[in-house]
Amino acid sequence: MFPPQNCQRCGVCCFSKLETYVRVTGDDWSRLGGEAERVAHFLGHRAYLRMEQGHCAALAVREDREGRREFFCTVYATRPQICRDLERGSPECAGEIELKGDRPGIEIF
Ligand code: SF4
Ligand code: SF4
């Protein structure tokens, strides 16, 4: 079903195998404040979100009581602008799900 009921049941756009998946600008770094070092790092002269186990390091994956996966952004209020710009139900969101919906070869836990 598209769009998913909510992003916590999906989380697809927070997954990638690319180390340079999400650029972190100077404004993004400032907004992240004390969390910046935990979730972002420099590769060369540019900063990016850290990627761990095939997803952004800021993503927390849990199971609810029925064993269904839930995906939480642990820096939601201060997440980078590019994350803020991706709206659930938008063509970009649809593209993410089309491309990576199955998350092949990516560790969920
Ligand atoms: S924006 Fe779209 S791809 Fe991203 S978590 Fe929400 S529903 Fe999934
Ligand atoms: S910062 Fe949050 S919204 Fe952006 S990719 Fe990471 S977990 Fe997803």
Side-chain angles (χ1 to χ4, degrees):
M1 181 176 65
F2 185 82
Q5 255 183 343
N6 62 58
C7 291
Q8 289 183 2
R9 288 274 177 236
C10 173
V12 164
C13 57
C14 306
F15 281 75
S16 176
K17 291 178 175 174
L18 288 176
E19 282 300 308
T20 54
Y21 181 52
V22 179
R23 178 82 204 283
V24 175
T25 65
D27 285 349
D28 292 331
W29 190 281
S30 302
R31 193 186 312 106
L32 283 164
E35 292 283 60
E37 295 280 354
R38 178 177 74 87
V39 302
H41 61 169
F42 274 81
L43 295 174
H45 297 297
R46 293 185 164 182
Y48 300 89
L49 290 177
R50 296 178 191 272
M51 302 301 288
E52 294 174 354
Q53 298 178 324
H55 59 72
C56 167
L59 186 74
V61 187
R62 305 174 199 157
E63 276 187 1
D64 68 11
R65 286 181 195 152
E66 283 88 48
R68 293 179 302 177
R69 288 184 188 125
E70 292 183 321
F71 304 91
F72 293 92
C73 175
T74 59
V75 295
Y76 187 77
T78 57
R79 67 200 187 284
Q81 189 61 46
I82 196 168
C83 305
R84 310 173 97 79
D85 291 342
L86 205 162
E87 286 179 32
R88 184 173 62 89
S90 67
E92 291 77 14
C93 164
E96 288 290 303
I97 292 171
E98 172 73 25
L99 265 179
K100 300 183 295 193
D102 293 340
R103 289 173 263 223
I106 283 176
E107 263 184 73
I108 305 288
F109 288 104

